[in-house]
Amino acid sequence: MSYNTSAVGSGSRNTTRTFEFGRTHVVRPKGKHQTTIVWLHGLGDKGSSWSQILETLPLPNIKWICPTAPTRPVAIFGGFPCTAWFDVGDISEEAPDDLEGLDASATHVANLLSTEPADIKLGVGGFSMGAATALYSATCHILGQYGNGNLYPVNLSAVVGLSGWLPCSRTLRSQIERSEEAARRAASLPILLCHGSGDDVVAHKHGEKSAQALSSAGFRNLTFRSYNGLGHYTIPEEMDEVCNWLTTRLGLDGSWS
């Protein structure tokens, strides 16, 4: 699936970029379908890697959709192309945000969720850059629009981010404070963030600062978990936390029919 987006470049000329998303892998629920979650992989990875992990979780009521990001030049790798949800040159609060890439990926996520049945709860989660994209999708849901001003079309019931960070954190609080509806949504949206203290790719402090930025912006239903010594990967203990949290927050009953 491709996504076209236009941006104003230098001078008055418009530039159009097309993002070609890769293969999407789906893990169908083994029991009664109650929730659908789009799960986003990390930089340089693909959807199949996480679909194999998610398939083993004791969550029979969840349908997992694991898309693959476009292959694109990435500044942090000196312009070398790899799968990435958006361009990134530095992981920090001061680094510029690739709004065009973020909007394209958030739109892709919303499109994948928009065809789900009306009675199914919807969520988004991810690892590393995928977690950053999931959190950006959460802010689009809260504000009711993408960064480009287009309306955000789906209602999210849960957001999970492992070893990630929050894009566009500098302006989030002021944006939410301008809208009572956004403040109401922020206060009620359940978010789980997990981060390892030994992460040498996305430092633990970035996860911590992201949680603080969300909390100060009015996200009251936020859980932040630290894992002592954990690097930039996941472990069974962390995935157990995700399972328990999703079961509780989404009211999953474990039924098989």
Side-chain angles (χ1 to χ4, degrees), residues 142-143 174-188 217-218 220:
I142 296 305
L143 297 170
S174 62
Q175 287 179 298
I176 291 177
E177 287 177 343
R178 290 197 294 265
S179 166
E180 288 186 10
E181 177 64 17
R184 184 191 64 78
R185 288 179 180 173
S188 62
R220 298 174 190 166

Side-chain angles (χ1 to χ4, degrees), residues 107 110-111 140-141 143-154 185:
T107 299
N111 286 343
C140 292
H141 159 62
L143 297 170
Q145 63 181 31
Y146 299 100
N148 60 20
N150 292 338
L151 292 179
Y152 189 77
V154 297
R185 288 179 180 173

Side-chain angles (χ1 to χ4, degrees), residues 26-75:
V26 177
V27 179
R28 306 210 172 270
K30 299 177 180 67
K32 181 182 178 182
H33 184 198
Q34 296 176 326
T35 298
T36 296
I37 297 176
V38 171
W39 189 271
L40 306 170
H41 62 74
L43 182 62
D45 204 355
K46 53 189 177 181
S48 60
S49 299
W50 275 95
S51 68
Q52 294 169 20
I53 295 173
L54 298 170
E55 193 169 21
T56 67
L57 299 183
L59 294 168
N61 309 122
I62 295 181
K63 172 184 175 181
W64 301 95
I65 302 177
C66 304
T68 300
T71 298
R72 51 176 298 161
V74 179

